[in-house]
Amino acid sequence: MRLLRYFPYEPRPHQLEVLRKVQDGVRRWNICLHAPTGFGKTPVILSALLPYAEEGIKILWAVRTGNETDRPVEELKAIVERKGVSAFGLSYRGKRDMCLLAREFGEELDHSDVSYLCSAERSRCVYYRRFKKLFDPAPFLERGPLLYSEVFEICRGLLICPYYAQRALVEYADLVALSYNYVIDPRLEWSMKTLVSFKDCILVVDEAHNLQNVNLASDTITLGTLRRAFKEAQDKRAREVAKLVKHVEAKALEILKRLGDEEDTTFNPEDLVPEGSIEVLEEAREVGEQIRKERLRRRQRPRSSLYHLATFLLSALELSGTRGIAFIAEREGSNLKLTVWDMRAADVLAGRWAQFRRVVFCSGTLEPIDAFAEVVGLSNYLGIRVPNIYRRDKVRVYIVKGLTTRGEELSEGMARAYVRAIALMLKKVKCNTAVFTASYRVQEGLVEAGLLDELEELGYVAFMERKGMSGQEARRMLEEFKSTASDGRGVLIAPMGGRFAEGADFPGEELKAVFLAGIPFEKPTVKTRLYVSYYEEVYGRERGRMYAYVLPALRRAAQALGRAVRSPDDEAVLVLGDERYLRYAGLLPDYVREWATVVAAEELDLIRVPWS
């Protein structure tokens, strides 16, 4: 059977049906595939598209972050090994992950640092010169599909540049898995366009619901940026530049004084700088560039706050007055963040999709598909919806009456009611549980109401995400939480929309129960009101509010619930702790719409759990 030519597993319900629809549909349309977590959308889509690779069409598989690029390549490895077909692919990463020269620096370099290092040192770089002289694709191609780490290790052994080796390997690849930015950001697309013709590619956009949050023109500076920039200008005796930076800092401090903690407002970039300051800003950028070169020569991180400030202000002045661009000032404690914020997802993205032969969008939270398509500027598409794949006897869903996070502040009484409800649930489920909150504000309210004390009294260990937590801290805490799975006494506390509620994976016993404390609507800040207003202007009042405010919140809630249901055989208890979920049940996953039982907050100790 042709459908099974590439599919490497025993088919589960709906998989061959969807494979056929994608394979046939992509000849005429773009595809929007809504498939629940655990359906197996990666091998299904890959198996559907590989016949096109035989015709010389490349598959570009775009993911939200670099860490996710390995997944499609791992599935291609399974196809090659199990089906005996010949195919090559690789996970493509940026210079920060692939530069051997950058590893020689003693401090951590970010993407812009490594890009600058490469452009400045390439002609002298021993690894690049050896690549130009010695690169041979054979040792790579004979290994079959390669993860970026495998490309890196082969290159390190050969002492050739991994970044340029992977670029050379794109020519031979049927599949290239890469970050969104390489295909949707006009500032970065040249990197891939110089290697392949997009018209000869089928683009797959994984976790496509994130496209609405694309902010291509965004940038941020802080008071720290301004103070470091002033010192750099003083050190370089650039008096006019230093004077300008001091003027901008004074204007920023005026804004700060008008804001309470965590408040925000808009600002006009033309109010930050005196009239006729363009030449001074360009001088500031030149001085900043000199600083970057000098730091590089001293083998230090090639960074300049003065360069960053100048590019930020020049860009902000150029974008001033552009529809869909906002300028936001936010207070965080004693600090001020100034942000250029790009809200134009549909406007920016609409022109991207026509560059490719076809585009396949997929996610577990793509519904309503028509709304998604409109927000990302998509036309000429076929919507494919996979029904509920979970088992009712294994997934219990409850919506709680008597609890809500409605309003700007969580009252003491409501916070205590939430703590009691969470405690009742935990007494019943006796397993690793996540309490995903509507916001950090709600999380803090629950802690103040005694949540941590209650967990300790019940014998649970709390693991709580904090603002500003580093990636390393987060990974360590996640590992510690997962290690409690054997006795089921861990409780993860984190906001919906955060790193644990969407990006983390918890197979099997690692997470079996989820409590949603509220609905993660955005706080009604100036920034939120501007976003909703812009969408209402573009799509009309009713649809605009739905697209900008309601659907993003419900997608965050659905993603959080999905942490505990990762496969059709998973057992889970899911508690939606806000009575407003009843109003929005039609916009939530099938298993909520079809199976949710309404329960009073004080009756959560009476719920049924699959494993009892």
Side-chain angles (χ1 to χ4, degrees):
M1 187 177 182
R2 181 173 170 80
L3 286 176
L4 293 175
R5 181 181 176 191
Y6 291 103
F7 194 70
Y9 309 112
E10 183 68 27
R12 297 202 300 259
H14 309 296
Q15 286 185 324
L16 292 186
E17 175 190 349
V18 171
L19 197 161
R20 181 186 295 108
K21 286 183 177 180
V22 173
Q23 192 171 84
D24 294 342
V26 82
R27 293 192 181 277
R28 297 177 55 194
W29 298 293
N30 298 310
I31 303 292
C32 291
L33 172 61
H34 169 87
T37 303
F39 168 71
K41 63 182 183 297
T42 302
V44 166
I45 294 171
L46 197 51
S47 300
L49 298 184
L50 278 173
Y52 292 93
E54 294 179 354
E55 303 171 14
I57 298 168
K58 287 190 187 298
I59 303 165
L60 297 185
W61 197 291
V63 295
R64 186 168 57 98
T65 67
N67 292 333
E68 297 166 307
T69 56
D70 284 349
R71 179 70 184 137
V73 179
E74 288 167 347
E75 290 293 358
L76 184 61
K77 283 175 178 278
I79 290 171
V80 169
E81 291 168 4
R82 298 185 182 202
K83 306 303 289 187
V85 299
S86 176
F88 179 70
L90 70 154
S91 48
Y92 187 97
R93 301 290 282 264
K95 291 177 180 176
R96 180 177 182 271
D97 295 313
M98 302 299 281
C99 179
L100 284 168
L101 189 61
R103 303 292 176 98
E104 298 176 7
F105 280 67
E107 51 188 325
E108 184 74 11
L109 305 183
D110 66 17
H111 297 280
S112 62
D113 295 332
V114 180
S115 180
Y116 185 81
L117 169 67
C118 181
S119 61
E121 296 291 312
R122 187 181 310 140
S123 62
R124 297 184 292 273
C125 175
V126 63
Y127 305 112
Y128 179 74
R129 292 168 71 176
R130 285 178 60 86
F131 159 75
K132 293 292 286 183
K133 184 177 180 181
L134 301 174
F135 176 74
D136 176 6
F140 299 88
L141 299 179
E142 66 189 18
R143 296 271 297 269
L146 294 171
L147 307 179
Y148 92 94
S149 56
E150 293 171 323
V151 174
F152 185 88
E153 289 304 322
I154 294 172
C155 291
R156 181 153 63 178
L158 297 171
L159 295 178
I160 65 173
C161 174
Y163 176 75
Y164 281 97
Q166 72 170 356
R167 286 179 62 79
L169 290 169
V170 168
E171 177 186 347
Y172 306 92
D174 303 295
L175 166 73
V176 181
L178 71 181
S179 165
Y180 286 174
N181 293 332
Y182 289 108
V183 292
I184 65 174
D185 189 338
R187 296 168 298 183
L188 293 177
E189 68 173 6
W190 63 268
S191 178
M192 193 53 54
K193 269 190 168 180
T194 56
L195 303 177
V196 298
S197 166
F198 283 0
K199 270 299 181 186
D200 295 326
C201 297
I202 294 175
L203 173 65
V204 180
V205 184
D206 208 345
E207 298 299 333
H209 63 277
N210 289 298
L211 288 173
Q212 184 173 345
N213 301 320
V214 168
N215 301 316
L216 295 179
S218 296
D219 194 10
T220 297
I221 61 169
T222 66
L223 288 177
T225 310
L226 290 164
R227 287 161 184 161
R228 290 189 298 271
F230 178 70
K231 185 177 186 307
E232 289 178 5
Q234 277 192 317
D235 291 345
K236 287 296 181 183
R237 293 185 172 85
R239 291 190 179 87
E240 289 302 312
V241 172
K243 182 179 176 182
L244 175 61
V245 175
K246 206 64 179 172
H247 178 90
V248 176
E249 183 183 2
K251 291 292 184 180
L253 289 171
E254 288 177 11
I255 297 172
L256 182 66
K257 289 177 183 176
R258 298 196 298 267
L259 295 175
D261 193 30
E262 295 193 1
E263 285 186 352
D264 66 345
T265 187
T266 58
F267 71 93
N268 184 343
E270 294 173 3
D271 292 339
L272 293 180
V273 297
E275 191 174 345
S277 297
I278 297 297
E279 288 186 7
V280 183
L281 284 172
E282 290 173 346
E283 181 188 350
R285 185 166 57 186
E286 291 171 5
V287 174
E289 176 65 11
Q290 292 173 15
I291 293 169
R292 296 170 83 190
K293 288 180 180 178
E294 290 169 3
R295 288 182 60 84
L296 186 59
R297 281 197 296 269
R298 295 196 298 267
R299 311 298 288 174
Q300 295 175 333
R301 190 175 187 178
R303 171 168 289 191
S304 165
S305 293
L306 188 57
Y307 183 87
H308 181 198
L309 173 63
T311 54
F312 174 89
L313 291 173
L314 286 167
S315 174
L317 291 169
E318 184 178 346
L319 291 167
S320 182
T322 302
R323 180 172 178 259
I325 297 289
F327 302 96
I328 307 294
E330 301 172 89
R331 179 169 190 151
E332 294 183 347
S334 59
N335 197 14
L336 183 73
K337 284 173 51 180
L338 298 176
T339 300
V340 178
W341 187 40
D342 189 348
M343 302 178 284
R344 306 168 298 168
D347 289 347
V348 171
L349 295 175
R352 312 303 300 165
W353 316 130
Q355 296 186 46
F356 298 90
R357 186 184 186 93
R358 289 288 184 269
V359 186
V360 178
F361 302 87
C362 58
S363 170
T365 52
L366 215 57
E367 290 192 310
I369 289 177
D370 290 346
F372 162 78
E374 188 168 17
V375 166
V376 300
L378 178 66
S379 58
N380 182 35
Y381 64 91
L382 171 67
I384 302 174
R385 181 184 177 279
V386 179
N388 191 355
I389 63 171
Y390 308 116
R391 291 174 48 181
R392 187 166 191 168
D393 62 324
K394 294 199 171 198
V395 179
R396 306 288 186 184
V397 187
Y398 298 92
I399 298 177
V400 185
K401 290 180 66 177
L403 296 178
T404 184
T405 57
R406 181 190 289 112
E408 294 193 28
E409 296 298 330
L410 188 67
S411 70
E412 282 186 36
M414 185 58 70
R416 287 196 296 270
Y418 266 109
V419 171
R420 287 194 297 271
I422 292 167
L424 288 174
M425 173 191 165
L426 290 172
K427 287 178 184 177
K428 187 72 174 182
V429 298
K430 298 176 182 176
C431 65
N432 265 26
T433 300
V435 177
F436 290 127
T437 62
S439 64
Y440 277 116
R441 174 183 57 83
V442 171
Q443 181 171 304
E444 290 163 4
L446 298 184
V447 171
E448 289 173 6
L451 177 60
L452 299 183
D453 294 335
E454 189 71 39
L455 296 181
E456 184 177 359
E457 188 173 324
L458 291 171
Y460 284 91
V461 180
F463 301 86
M464 188 162 63
E465 182 175 356
R466 304 186 317 277
K467 282 184 181 179
M469 178 179 276
S470 70
Q472 187 175 1
E473 287 178 299
R475 284 191 296 273
R476 185 164 55 247
M477 191 183 83
L478 188 61
E479 289 168 4
E480 291 173 358
F481 169 72
K482 290 183 172 188
S483 72
T484 65
S486 58
D487 58 11
R489 287 295 173 176
V491 175
L492 177 65
I493 307 167
M496 286 178 259
R499 70 181 88 205
F500 298 122
E502 182 161 345
D505 195 23
F506 302 93
E509 301 286 320
E510 290 179 359
L511 182 64
K512 296 180 68 175
V514 170
F515 187 105
L516 302 187
I519 302 180
F521 291 119
E522 292 288 353
K523 186 179 178 182
T525 60
V526 169
K527 185 176 181 180
T528 302
R529 288 192 286 271
L530 279 172
Y531 192 55
V532 173
S533 176
Y534 172 69
Y535 269 70
E536 288 178 345
E537 182 184 342
V538 174
Y539 302 108
R541 185 170 183 180
E542 187 174 333
R543 281 188 304 155
R545 182 174 176 79
M546 176 66 71
Y547 294 173
Y549 189 68
V550 176
L551 288 178
L554 297 179
R555 285 191 181 119
R556 285 191 287 271
Q559 286 286 333
L561 291 172
R563 296 312 94 198
V565 279
R566 309 299 291 167
S567 78
D569 296 320
D570 277 349
E571 295 179 319
V573 171
L574 310 175
V575 177
L576 288 73
D578 195 308
E579 59 192 14
R580 291 175 296 169
Y581 279 115
L582 289 167
R583 184 193 315 167
Y584 298 115
L587 298 172
L588 290 165
D590 288 353
Y591 55 80
V592 176
R593 283 201 303 271
E594 298 167 5
W595 300 340
T597 298
V598 180
V599 62
E602 59 273 15
E603 296 174 346
L604 279 170
D605 57 340
L606 303 178
I607 62 175
R608 298 174 63 192
V609 296
W611 45 90
S612 67

